[in-house]
C-alpha cells in the first residue's frame, strides 16, 4: 500500500468524521437553514423539490441518519481493515447523491470527491 493512498484515505475518513461532528453540532439545531440552502442552490428542480418536501420537514430525523452514516463511513475507512473499501464505496455513493442536490459548484466538488473515492476503492 502506498503512503500517498494511505494518507488520502485517512484524510477522507477524517473528512467524513468532521462532517458527522458538524452535523451533530450545527445541523441538528439549524436543519431548516442548512437544508434550505441546498434547496435554494440545487440546480436540478426535482432535487430542490425533494429537499423542500422530504428533507426539510424531517430535518431532525434526516440529520441523525446522516450523522450515523458519516460516522460509520469514517470508522470503516479509519479502521484500516477489511471495511475500508466498503467505506470508500459508500462515501462515493453518498457524494454522487449529494451532487444531485447541490449547487453547480457543489456538484463539481461532490463528483470530484466521488471519483477520488472510487479510484481509491478500485486500488484495493
Amino acid at each position: 500500500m502506498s503512503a500517498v493512498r494511505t494518507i488520502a484515505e485517512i484524510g477522507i475518513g477524517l473528512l467524513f468524521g468532521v462532517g458527522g461532528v458538524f452535523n451533530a453540532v450545527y445541523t441538528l439545531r439549524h436543519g431548516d437553514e442548512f437544508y434550505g440552502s441546498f434547496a435554494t442552490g440545487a440546480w436540478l428542480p426535482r432535487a430542490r423539490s425533494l429537499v423542500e418536501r422530504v428533507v426539510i420537514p424531517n430535518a431532525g430525523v434526516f440529520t441523525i441518519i446522516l450523522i450515523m452514516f458519516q460516522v460509520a463511513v469514517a470508522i470503516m475507512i479509519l479502521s484500516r481493515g477489511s471495511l475500508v473499501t466498503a467505506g470508500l464505496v459508500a462515501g462515493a455513493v453518498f457524494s454522487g447523491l449529494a451532487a444531485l442536490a447541490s449547487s453547480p459548484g457543489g456538484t463539481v466538488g461532490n463528483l470530484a470527491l466521488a471519483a477520488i473515492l472510487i479510484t481509491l476503492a478500485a486500488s484495493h
Side-chain angles (χ1 to χ4, degrees), residues 16 49 60 83 118:
F16 275 93
S49 177
L83 295 176
I118 289 297

Side-chain angles (χ1 to χ4, degrees), residues 35-58 62 97 100-103:
Y35 297 118
S37 70
F38 278 86
T40 301
W43 61 280
L44 292 174
R46 287 188 183 193
R48 185 178 312 116
S49 177
L50 177 72
V51 172
E52 290 172 343
R53 289 196 268 162
V54 177
V55 176
I56 293 173
N58 301 294
F62 189 84
L97 292 173
L100 296 174
S102 295
S103 64

Side-chain angles (χ1 to χ4, degrees), residues 30-123:
H30 304 284
D32 291 350
E33 290 173 45
F34 182 75
Y35 297 118
S37 70
F38 278 86
T40 301
W43 61 280
L44 292 174
R46 287 188 183 193
R48 185 178 312 116
S49 177
L50 177 72
V51 172
E52 290 172 343
R53 289 196 268 162
V54 177
V55 176
I56 293 173
N58 301 294
V61 172
F62 189 84
T63 303
I64 290 169
I65 292 168
L66 178 60
I67 293 165
M68 291 187 316
F69 174 79
Q70 289 177 312
V71 169
V73 168
I75 290 169
M76 287 190 285
I77 294 171
L78 294 173
S79 72
R80 310 306 308 139
S82 61
L83 295 176
V84 172
T85 302
L88 293 168
V89 171
V93 170
F94 172 78
S95 296
L97 292 173
L100 296 174
S102 295
S103 64
T107 296
V108 170
N110 277 301
L111 291 177
L113 179 57
I116 291 167
L117 290 164
I118 289 297
T119 300
L120 290 169
S123 70

